[in-house]
Amino acid sequence: MLPPVRLRMSPMPPPDGPSFHMSPDDFRRWGHALVDWIADYQARVEDFPVQSRVRPGDIRAALPPAAPAHGEPFDAILADVERIILPGVTHWQSPRFFAFFPANASGPSILGELLSAGLGVQGMLWVTSPACTELETHVLDWLVDMLGLPARFRSDGPGGGVIQDTASSATLCALLAARERSTGFRAGAEGCDGRLVAYTSTQAHSSVEKAMRVAGMGAHNLRLVEVDDDLRMRPDRLAERIAADRAAGRVPCFVCATVGTTSSGAVDPVPAIGRICRAEDVWLHVDAAMAGTAAVCPEHRWLHAGLENADSYCFNPHKWMFTNFDCDCFYVADRAALVGALSVLPEYLRNQATESGAVIDYRDWHIPLGRRFRALKLWFVIRHYGVEGLRHHIRRHVALAETFAGWVAADPRFELAAPRALNLVCFRARGGDAVNAELLARLNAGGRLYLSHARIRDRHALRLCVGQTHTEARHVAAAWAEIQAALDAGPEPPASADTMPSEGASR
Ligand SMILES: *Cc1c(COP(=O)(O)O)cnc(C)c1O
């Protein structure tokens, strides 16, 4: 408690008028009501059509055209959540959600998020809330051990980890650090000269191209390296492209490898790619957005082979580690390159702790200045589940995907479009792209599940990803029954059953 301050007599401002704030008692009451609402939502979420059925503009049409002139009671606001908002929600937390990649959440993470809002901390500098920085550093070091990442990513050496909003931001930061390192930290100050080139596979996430645009390096300077039949980057083609670029006077500076591609879950051969990057002195970033979480299980640690040659790495607890969006863990082997790329110190942020060099100021580790206390939710999740609990549920998801893949393979009307990758199954009905597109549209319109699609080796494939927190065997079995029934009920497939090519992979 602070000591009382003796007031000197000086003119006082006029007395405080009526307050429009929510009183502490009302906050308590409505807080309880909202937590009850969320708990009830979790209990009934699987009964909603997974994909929202509203049409464009429906939600706005239900909202008043202008903001209220006078404050409204909180129960009226909550009632409108139920009446207006809920119909426009696609239920990512439904155990029948199998689309894209999951954005799974859990009780402890939601409570951590609430606490973060309650403390309302802005942790741009160590001094603006030491716990925000130190808990983050500490939990990210835990994760190095939990996932079997190389010790060089720990914060007690030259490296370290930081929470970013998304994998897209992590990739951008990695690219900026690579750009600066390869230009002697001049490109940021003087601009890019257009000779810098970067490499990723044809299967990489679109965020790599976006990062090239944002970093001012130009999307045309991103080389999309060919993949093998299992959709993994070909190291021989990477080496050829780097050699060709050097011969043409360009400066190779960045490679982004993917551990678990978005379309099919392919894992690039990071050990071979890393050897090339080291020999060529090119920054290697490894994007393991969803798949990285699986390495919490020792049997999936192979995913992280070769990371000892990576300069940076990221994965998203907000996909598969029961931590609600947003939370991406980003690691660098040498934080000097990252901080060198991003640090600008204006007078108004100067402080003793920073000057002493004894603290981390995470503002220099990402694009924004300000930052939320995201480490709380990750800390809550890890402490609630323990390593054992996380392993248990990841293994369950992988086993359910494996079972589903077995059902697909055993049904002659279907085929796998790519080998199952952990919790992701890409499959299709035999019979051409139109049949599959129509099947997917009908399934999703039915509302009892939500799948997405990808183009795999130039075929339209359906993707089923098991990763929602409460997905159980019965949900996966119901999904498969639904898929079979939808195919039975659909139009006759054309007589020439169009199947996947056995090789010749391409985007
Ligand atoms: C989902 C995904 C991303 C993008 O994730 P954000 O965190 O939303 O930016 C990047 N890379 C891969 C491989 C992904 O699967």
Side-chain angles (χ1 to χ4, degrees):
M1 282 291 136
L2 298 173
V5 177
R6 188 121 38 92
L7 288 175
R8 268 186 292 134
M9 288 311 288
S10 53
M12 292 287 285
D16 298 320
S19 170
F20 292 88
H21 297 308
M22 183 180 274
S23 72
D25 280 344
D26 282 350
F27 176 77
R28 190 184 309 280
R29 173 162 158 240
W30 293 118
H32 288 163
L34 186 59
V35 169
D36 281 346
W37 189 92
I38 295 170
D40 290 342
Y41 173 70
Q42 290 172 341
R44 62 190 170 133
V45 64
E46 74 174 271
D47 302 330
F48 294 114
V50 187
Q51 199 179 9
S52 169
R53 290 172 164 172
V54 300
R55 285 157 303 159
D58 280 356
I59 303 299
R60 291 199 62 181
L63 295 165
H70 305 290
E72 301 176 56
F74 201 78
D75 51 358
I77 304 173
L78 268 186
D80 283 349
V81 168
E82 187 81 30
R83 186 174 67 86
I84 302 173
I85 302 302
L86 206 49
V89 169
T90 288
H91 299 284
W92 285 73
Q93 303 312 318
S94 169
R96 304 164 182 272
F97 184 101
F98 301 103
F100 310 108
F101 281 155
N104 68 16
S106 64
S109 94
I110 297 166
L111 294 174
E113 187 76 69
L114 179 61
L115 179 57
S116 168
L119 294 174
V121 154
Q122 210 278 49
M124 59 190 173
L125 300 166
W126 177 88
V127 74
T128 63
S129 220
C132 179
T133 295
E134 293 195 14
L135 182 66
E136 184 162 328
T137 307
H138 203 77
V139 169
L140 269 83
D141 277 356
W142 278 0
L143 280 163
V144 168
D145 298 335
M146 288 169 62
L147 301 181
L149 298 173
R152 65 206 300 244
F153 289 143
R154 289 179 56 93
S155 63
D156 45 16
V162 60
I163 299 180
Q164 303 263 339
D165 52 6
T166 59
S168 303
S169 295
T171 299
L172 174 59
C173 289
L175 182 64
L176 293 171
R179 186 192 73 182
E180 293 309 297
R181 191 177 74 175
S182 70
T183 59
F185 295 85
R186 287 211 312 275
E190 298 165 13
C192 282
D193 69 3
R195 291 190 308 139
L196 298 175
V197 284
Y199 308 80
T200 197
S201 90
T202 57
Q203 303 296 306
H205 192 263
S206 56
S207 52
V208 185
E209 180 180 330
K210 195 189 252 189
M212 288 293 283
R213 294 197 207 177
V214 176
M217 289 169 62
H220 68 289
N221 283 325
L222 178 64
R223 310 279 184 254
L224 297 180
V225 179
E226 295 82 351
V227 293
D228 66 15
D229 289 345
D230 287 331
L231 304 168
R232 302 172 298 198
M233 189 196 292
R234 282 181 52 180
D236 57 330
R237 306 295 289 183
L238 172 66
E240 283 168 29
R241 293 220 178 206
I242 291 176
D245 279 323
R246 285 217 197 278
R250 302 208 171 83
V251 181
C253 88
F254 180 76
V255 172
C256 179
T258 312
V259 169
T261 59
T262 314
S263 293
S264 73
V267 177
D268 287 341
V270 176
I273 294 169
R275 283 191 291 275
I276 294 169
C277 290
R278 172 153 292 196
E280 297 283 344
D281 193 23
V282 169
W283 185 290
L284 173 60
H285 175 63
V286 177
D287 174 2
M290 180 183 67
T293 292
V296 75
C297 307
E299 67 272 28
H300 300 311
R301 287 276 160 83
W302 63 272
L303 289 165
H304 287 156
L307 274 189
E308 56 286 349
N309 277 335
D311 295 283
S312 55
Y313 166 87
C314 78
F315 85 105
N316 286 352
H318 73 221
K319 278 185 169 161
W320 199 14
M321 203 181 260
F322 311 104
T323 306
N324 64 285
F325 193 88
D326 53 353
C327 185
D328 166 274
C329 295
F330 174 54
Y331 291 93
V332 286
D334 175 16
R335 59 179 181 255
L338 179 66
V339 172
L342 297 177
S343 181
V344 181
L345 183 61
E347 181 55 34
Y348 48 79
L349 294 180
R350 286 188 188 280
N351 68 88
Q352 262 184 8
T354 297
E355 237 101 290
S356 77
V359 302
I360 288 177
D361 290 323
Y362 276 130
R363 73 183 183 97
D364 293 332
W365 293 53
H366 55 37
I367 307 293
L369 171 66
R371 56 202 330 274
R372 305 192 299 116
F373 201 162
R374 290 195 194 89
L376 280 174
K377 61 186 173 187
L378 197 48
W379 187 50
F380 278 25
V381 166
I382 294 170
R383 290 189 63 182
H384 169 86
Y385 286 92
V387 172
E388 175 198 24
L390 294 173
R391 281 183 185 158
H392 171 84
H393 290 289
I394 296 301
R395 284 180 176 139
R396 261 320 272 166
H397 289 163
V398 172
L400 292 175
E402 190 176 9
T403 304
F404 180 86
W407 291 334
V408 171
D411 186 328
R413 297 170 304 165
F414 290 90
E415 63 179 337
L416 292 172
R420 173 189 61 87
L422 301 169
N423 59 339
L424 174 64
V425 183
C426 296
F427 66 103
R428 62 200 296 278
R430 296 178 196 267
D433 286 351
V435 169
N436 282 283
E438 196 271 340
L439 175 63
L440 180 64
R442 212 141 29 83
L443 280 166
N444 287 344
R448 282 185 290 273
L449 83 181
Y450 187 17
L451 303 177
S452 58
H453 74 279
R455 206 111 196 119
I456 296 179
R457 291 196 254 139
D458 215 25
R459 295 289 193 283
H460 191 92
L462 278 52
R463 293 167 75 267
L464 177 133
C465 189
V466 183
Q468 206 287 320
T469 309
H470 298 292
T471 298
E472 294 172 3
R474 65 189 171 93
H475 302 110
V476 178
W480 177 233
E482 196 76 31
I483 293 163
Q484 288 179 305
L487 186 66
D488 288 341
E492 274 298 301
S496 69
D498 172 25
T499 57
M500 293 298 291
S502 54
E503 55 186 47
S506 65
R507 176 128 89 162

